[in-house]
Amino acid sequence: MTTTQQQRSSLDKPQVTVLGAGYGGLLAALRLAPHARVTLVDPADRFTERVRLHERAAARTDISHPLAGLLRGTGIRHVAARATALDPAALTVTTDDGQVLPYDRLVYALGSRTGIPAPATTASDAAPAVESRSRLHTAESAAALRDRMRGAPGSAAVVGGGLTGIEMAAELAETYPDWSVRLLSSGPVAAGHSARSRDHVRTVLSGLGVRVEEGVAVPGPEAVDADTVVWSASMVPNTGLASAAGLTLDPATGRIAVDETLRSVSHPEIYAAGDAAAAHNATAGALRMGCATALPTGSRAASSIISGFRGEQPAPLKFAYVIQCVSLGRRDGVVQFVRGDDSPRSRSLTGRTAARFKEQIVLSTIRTFQLARRTPGLIPAFPGMS
């Protein structure tokens, strides 16, 4: 085939625009590349391993990878800009640098962010609210948190007893032993784990010097007495663009309402993946936010679009949970085995074995992208990636 014929063949392909180069969006783009002209919209020029942000706070490792390397040879066009408007009627996306990008199909994979309660607004408490925000950090500001922790030691409070908060508290306590670290949780820490696993989490945190306070409801950062507050209590989907465009959102979660093929229930040209999608199936129920679900939903969204291009009926999302992993510093962790609906089984791994297992799970995400870049057709053969 001549160069001109190759160019003509490429132009004959449908146009797919992918919003977001996180776990779900990047995998969807890589899988779609052989079947469409793919435009990947994300202002960053590097893919950041979000599941390692607690490690960035501890300055342990480089957790980002150049997008150019992950996209090399795929033909994917990376638009380093932020999407500011979505027009489903015109089938276009507008970016903050003035580009108007057309699409035949769109994958909405803008992920989520840490949700922080609004600060107090009355005159009497405005000053405390401003002061509390100056000492506030989240996983997204891990680099600034690292710089603060390297300064004069003091007290740090991590708010949120889920896996994100547990990993952050353990990492900070292990890396910065001169700091006093607390973990505040409205319920039991690691609530989705078995009693044995929760006991192990508490024991390891205590050994690292973390004071665990369960049953503590924190209304906002202003209520926390600490030099540094790390908010890890909740995540909210980045679906403002979808809402403004009129896409139907799930009323309970604010995520994009999709069917079991990950197609928007209100706009059939749009698919959603990752934390922005209210993905669900009969086995797992409503999928929680996280890398463990972003990769499979990114792959499924791509498969659904590819099936549609071929005139085939897309298959529903096939997904079941197997494990939950949490690191407890660099030398310990918990791998909790779970049922397909994410409820805990009695079996778990702990200690160094769990820490090594968790590290391999994290490393496998980059390996998945590398495989998808070289041989995207192999990805559906892996469990959960159909």
Side-chain angles (χ1 to χ4, degrees), residues 91-146:
L91 301 183
T92 59
V93 172
T94 303
T95 61
D96 60 1
D97 61 357
Q99 296 187 65
V100 178
L101 307 172
Y103 64 84
D104 297 301
R105 296 291 183 271
L106 180 133
V107 179
Y108 193 112
L110 291 177
S112 63
R113 65 190 184 279
T114 301
I116 306 171
T121 55
T122 62
S124 61
D125 54 20
V130 171
E131 187 275 333
S132 74
R133 262 31 189 195
S134 70
R135 59 192 173 95
L136 174 64
H137 294 278
T138 64
E140 293 90 343
S141 64
L145 174 59
R146 173 198 61 209

Side-chain angles (χ1 to χ4, degrees), residues 15-32:
Q15 175 69 54
V16 178
T17 296
V18 179
L19 302 184
Y23 292 100
L26 182 53
L27 187 57
L30 291 169
R31 286 221 43 226
L32 284 160

Side-chain angles (χ1 to χ4, degrees), residues 104-197:
D104 297 301
R105 296 291 183 271
L106 180 133
V107 179
Y108 193 112
L110 291 177
S112 63
R113 65 190 184 279
T114 301
I116 306 171
T121 55
T122 62
S124 61
D125 54 20
V130 171
E131 187 275 333
S132 74
R133 262 31 189 195
S134 70
R135 59 192 173 95
L136 174 64
H137 294 278
T138 64
E140 293 90 343
S141 64
L145 174 59
R146 173 198 61 209
D147 295 342
R148 174 65 186 94
M149 298 296 289
R150 284 172 165 174
S155 59
V158 179
V159 181
L163 304 189
T164 300
I166 291 167
E167 290 189 324
M168 183 65 77
E171 205 78 41
L172 295 181
E174 183 178 84
T175 308
Y176 308 103
D178 292 340
W179 280 74
S180 169
V181 179
R182 289 184 294 155
L183 177 61
L184 311 180
S185 178
S186 59
V189 295
H193 285 199
S194 65
R196 175 179 177 271
S197 294

Side-chain angles (χ1 to χ4, degrees), residues 49-58 60 139 145 158 160-175 181 183 189-190 193 201 204-205 208 210 230 232 324-330 332-335 354-355 358-359 361-362:
E49 295 184 76
R50 187 168 176 174
V51 295
R52 288 192 187 271
L53 286 175
H54 57 285
E55 295 181 45
R56 175 175 283 176
R60 295 200 180 278
L145 174 59
V158 179
L163 304 189
T164 300
I166 291 167
E167 290 189 324
M168 183 65 77
E171 205 78 41
L172 295 181
E174 183 178 84
T175 308
V181 179
L183 177 61
V189 295
H193 285 199
V201 169
V204 175
L205 289 175
L208 291 171
V210 178
V230 186
S232 303
Q324 289 187 23
C325 298
V326 59
S327 62
L328 301 170
R330 296 297 87 206
D332 211 319
V334 174
V335 177
K358 166 72 187 299
E359 180 63 16
I361 291 293
V362 173

Side-chain angles (χ1 to χ4, degrees), residues 202-227:
R202 294 189 194 97
T203 298
V204 175
L205 289 175
S206 178
L208 291 171
V210 178
R211 193 173 84 202
V212 177
E213 300 179 19
E214 297 175 295
V216 178
V218 181
E222 298 85 359
V224 181
D225 181 16
D227 298 315

Side-chain angles (χ1 to χ4, degrees), residues 333-380:
V334 174
V335 177
Q336 174 67 60
F337 291 87
V338 298
R339 300 178 182 87
D341 64 358
D342 211 24
S343 60
R345 298 181 184 272
S346 59
R347 185 186 175 201
S348 62
L349 301 176
T350 58
R352 287 184 179 273
T353 300
R356 294 190 188 102
F357 190 103
K358 166 72 187 299
E359 180 63 16
Q360 290 305 308
I361 291 293
V362 173
L363 289 173
S364 71
T365 61
I366 298 302
R367 294 169 184 157
T368 298
F369 293 142
Q370 292 168 341
L371 178 62
R373 179 179 69 81
R374 296 190 304 267
T375 319
L378 284 181
I379 299 299

